[in-house]
Amino acid sequence: MASTAGYIVSTSCKHIIDDQHWLSSAYTQFAVPYFIYDIYAMFLCHWHKHQVKGHGGDDGAARAPGSTWAIARGYLHKEFLMVLHHAAMVLVCFPLSVVWRQGKGDFFLGCMLMAEVSTPFVCLGKILIQYKQQHTLLHKVNGALMLLSFLCCRVLLFPYLYWAYGRHAGLPLLAVPLAIPAHVNLGAALLLAPQLYWFFLICRGACRLFWPRSRPPPACQTQD
């Protein structure tokens, strides 16, 4: 849904600064409850995994004092980057996109929404792992598609946005960072940083998928 909305917005805006599309503000407001819910949903997943491992009673027995807080701390420790990402989307990106932009740059917002193209492949990969299907052809094909879509729609997205603005302003790509405000570069860097980290994890997982440890290629030998 996010990618479809982003595609409609970005392709409808011929002028990348001034053109507007009603979906840009409408979908942004629709997405905020999702990010809030997803934080809670991820916590529920962590909670039930904790129960399955035998750390909590499924028979209704009272748990030890502080166990809920311990689970919450474990959840924040394990999913800190994802929770931070969701919180930033609600507390920072939403006010910026609705208030600070003042109707400008719908094209860029649409492109950012298209970053979610990779999400279905990420989710399908996790589902296949839960069903012990790591060695199937479907899992390998999905892994390749996840790697390619994440690279194109999340990592290379930022150079593309800089290139698009440079073409609009008549500037070469390397001159764009010096021509735009510093806080824009800082915001782009903060958004790109977790994408690079997740892309590294995806690449490491791809190495383990296509080249098992029994015969890993030299480029994929890593220390745990």
Side-chain angles (χ1 to χ4, degrees):
M1 291 175 63
S3 302
T4 302
Y7 177 80
I8 294 173
V9 171
S10 59
T11 55
S12 299
C13 296
K14 306 305 179 184
H15 192 284
I16 65 173
I17 302 298
D18 296 328
D19 284 358
Q20 300 181 12
H21 194 283
W22 66 270
L23 264 177
S24 60
S25 58
Y27 192 85
T28 303
Q29 297 178 45
F30 167 78
V32 167
Y34 157 75
F35 284 111
I36 297 174
Y37 162 78
D38 201 42
I39 294 176
Y40 174 66
M42 289 190 299
F43 173 74
L44 284 183
C45 289
H46 181 81
W47 173 276
H48 287 294
K49 287 180 180 179
H50 189 271
Q51 301 288 54
V52 168
K53 290 179 180 179
H55 296 290
D58 292 331
D59 55 356
R63 283 178 285 269
S67 60
T68 301
W69 173 239
I71 295 174
R73 284 189 303 172
Y75 162 67
L76 291 175
H77 176 75
K78 182 179 179 181
E79 302 290 350
F80 174 76
L81 191 58
M82 187 64 71
V83 172
L84 180 63
H85 169 265
H86 282 29
M89 294 299 294
V90 174
L91 301 176
V92 179
C93 294
F94 174 70
L96 290 178
S97 62
V98 174
V99 179
W100 179 76
R101 288 192 313 116
Q102 297 181 348
K104 302 287 186 179
D106 281 14
F107 168 82
F108 295 100
L109 179 59
C111 290
M112 295 293 292
L113 289 174
M114 290 182 65
E116 297 299 331
V117 167
S118 62
T119 302
F121 302 110
V122 175
C123 295
L124 178 58
K126 292 184 176 181
I127 292 172
L128 292 173
I129 290 175
Q130 287 187 348
Y131 281 93
K132 310 297 183 183
Q133 301 296 310
Q134 296 96 318
H135 304 295
T136 61
L137 177 61
L138 176 59
H139 184 65
K140 293 183 178 181
V141 171
N142 180 75
L145 292 175
M146 176 176 64
L147 180 66
L148 181 62
S149 61
F150 201 98
L151 173 64
C152 295
C153 298
R154 287 184 177 264
V155 177
L156 298 181
L157 169 66
F158 293 90
Y160 170 75
L161 294 179
Y162 275 70
W163 173 83
Y165 180 82
R167 187 179 63 169
H168 164 77
L171 297 171
L173 176 61
L174 296 179
V176 173
L178 300 177
I180 60 179
H183 65 270
V184 176
N185 290 318
L186 177 61
L190 292 176
L191 290 174
L192 177 60
Q195 314 306 326
L196 292 175
Y197 173 71
W198 287 323
F199 183 66
F200 165 75
L201 296 182
I202 292 174
C203 290
R204 188 174 65 178
C207 286
R208 293 174 177 174
L209 174 63
F210 292 102
W211 297 283
R213 289 187 176 184
S214 57
R215 47 183 179 87
C220 295
Q221 291 180 350
T222 57
Q223 293 183 350
D224 293 333

